[in-house]
Amino acid sequence: MTAKSDNEARPSGVPDAYIDKLIDRLNSLKDGASAVVDLVACGMKAIEPLRRFLLFGEPSGIFQPRQRAVEALGELGAKDVLIEYLASEKDIPDPVVRYGEEAVESTAARLLARWRDDDTYRILLWLLRRKALPGLIDAVGEFRRTDATPELISALGDSIGRSFAEEALRKIGEGAKRTLIAASLTAHPSADYETSTSHHRRRSALRLLTELKLSEEDWHNLSPLADDRDREIAARACRIALAVAEESDKMLAVHRLIKLLPDTSWSLQIEIEEWLVERSEITRTVIDEEIVRRREAAGGRSTDELLHRLLALKQKIERKS
């Protein structure tokens, strides 16, 4: 008899001892998943034992049993227990155990996103302000609410939460544009002493802006970034200029990208070259002029690395044509 048919045959008054055995089975590598199915089949009576297991059980680096308990609670509609668990204080000094418990918390947060009501949204946003867990970021993003944009942008500075925050902001789309522009322009604590977290947040904000429909006015607001101290920020600002700026600013952006090209990471160099080839109708003339200038300055010598890169770019543009 399958687990499902076995539970269908059980009355609603399931014995406590049976539920306790199912809770123990959550720890089984082999039977843990089927224990979730059986616990859900027990109905509301399983909620309190699952709550005790989750809130008063010992977190572990082997987090799957607690994650299964969360999944069962979600299937049982135990919204209040999931909120209680997420809101509870957890002081876990061991980094492995803490990592495991955060995976459980993220699962609980994602399950809460099933309830698309204002109360759940406010609770999730409050929890996100306390800790930028990937699951909380995902859950808040599912609501596609523009008032969550500041919290999601803050999460862009976190190495673990960044990709999740970027995806959540993509779901908000155009509604996030104004706040993303402001975030791109804001170095923390200042332009002279900007933190690494602030750099990452501004870079991500600019990456997201390139995916939105921008105007010449948006570029006017962002234009100071073309001369930003951070080379990646400057480069991404120039990419925006190539798309929406007036002609004179587009030419300045091409010159700036060429100047930045040798002094950026390899991955960004590849991106810059792709942008220059992609907008060849704008960049071709500037690249040709720079090649001539550098050839004359080299005086027949072949030590100018940037010259070689520009010649290779010229070939790519010609092949594209």
Side-chain angles (χ1 to χ4, degrees):
M1 185 179 289
T2 65
K4 183 175 181 181
S5 60
D6 181 52
N7 281 298
E8 285 173 346
R10 292 185 180 277
S12 57
V14 183
D16 292 343
Y18 175 71
I19 294 178
D20 289 342
K21 287 181 179 179
L22 293 179
I23 296 287
D24 287 339
R25 269 177 52 198
L26 291 173
N27 295 294
S28 169
L29 183 64
K30 179 182 177 182
D31 299 323
S34 63
V36 173
V37 176
D38 291 347
L39 282 162
V40 172
C42 291
M44 303 296 286
K45 192 170 182 180
I47 291 178
E48 181 55 30
L50 283 164
R51 175 184 174 274
R52 291 195 300 269
F53 177 80
L54 189 62
L55 267 68
F56 305 111
E58 194 70 28
S60 167
I62 302 173
F63 59 86
Q64 287 82 359
R66 295 172 62 76
Q67 201 169 44
R68 291 169 187 144
V70 162
E71 291 167 357
L73 286 164
E75 291 298 321
L76 289 165
K79 171 185 170 182
D80 290 345
V81 177
L82 295 176
I83 291 171
E84 182 184 10
Y85 165 66
L86 283 169
S88 63
E89 294 290 340
K90 305 174 186 71
D91 182 17
I92 306 175
D94 186 297
V96 175
V97 176
R98 184 169 63 250
Y99 176 83
E101 195 64 13
E102 286 177 351
V104 180
E105 291 175 317
S106 282
T107 300
R110 290 186 177 103
L111 288 169
L112 272 177
R114 294 178 178 181
W115 287 272
R116 299 297 179 84
D117 55 85
D118 286 345
D119 286 343
T120 303
Y121 170 73
R122 284 193 292 268
I123 289 166
L124 286 168
L125 192 59
W126 174 73
L127 290 166
L128 178 58
R129 287 168 181 156
R130 291 175 58 191
K131 183 189 284 188
L133 289 173
L136 282 168
I137 295 168
D138 280 347
V140 169
E142 286 300 317
F143 286 81
R144 293 168 165 79
R145 298 264 294 255
T146 56
D147 57 332
T149 305
E151 284 74 19
L152 295 173
I153 286 176
S154 178
L156 293 175
D158 179 74
S159 59
I160 295 175
R162 184 174 306 122
S163 61
F164 300 93
E166 287 179 349
E167 188 56 35
L169 286 160
R170 287 188 182 99
K171 290 176 181 177
I172 295 173
E174 295 293 324
K177 183 170 75 172
R178 183 176 299 180
T179 315
L180 283 168
I181 290 173
S184 302
L185 293 164
T186 306
H188 184 80
S190 71
D192 292 329
Y193 302 100
E194 187 173 9
T195 64
S196 174
T197 297
S198 177
H199 280 134
H200 285 300
R201 182 172 56 250
R202 294 204 294 138
R203 291 168 187 168
S204 283
L206 279 168
R207 278 197 297 270
L208 290 165
L209 283 168
T210 61
E211 300 172 17
L212 299 177
K213 185 178 180 180
L214 301 179
S215 65
E216 192 173 319
E217 181 182 354
D218 293 327
W219 162 246
H220 179 74
N221 292 326
L222 291 165
S223 59
L225 295 179
D227 295 313
D228 198 274
R229 295 180 180 183
D230 185 280
R231 293 184 179 90
E232 181 173 345
I233 290 170
R236 296 195 182 284
C238 288
R239 183 190 182 188
I240 291 172
L242 292 180
V244 299
E246 60 185 26
E247 199 66 22
S248 59
D249 278 355
K250 286 179 180 178
M251 294 298 105
L252 289 173
V254 178
H255 283 289
R256 179 71 167 132
L257 285 170
I258 290 172
K259 186 177 180 180
L260 288 167
L261 191 55
D263 299 318
T264 59
S265 66
W266 275 104
S267 60
L268 186 56
Q269 286 179 22
I270 292 169
E271 286 190 76
I272 291 172
E273 290 182 357
E274 288 174 350
W275 304 336
L276 293 170
V277 172
E278 181 183 284
R279 302 308 306 270
S280 59
E281 74 281 3
I282 301 167
T283 64
R284 183 196 300 267
T285 301
V286 178
I287 290 173
D288 287 345
E289 290 173 352
E290 186 65 15
I291 287 172
V292 171
R293 190 186 71 78
R294 286 186 169 272
R295 274 177 167 165
E296 292 174 351
R301 299 185 300 275
S302 59
T303 56
D304 189 334
E305 182 181 342
L306 179 56
L307 174 58
H308 291 299
R309 301 197 71 156
L310 291 173
L311 288 167
L313 265 178
K314 181 178 172 68
Q315 289 181 345
K316 289 180 182 178
I317 289 171
E318 288 173 350
R319 285 197 296 269
K320 177 190 172 186
S321 302

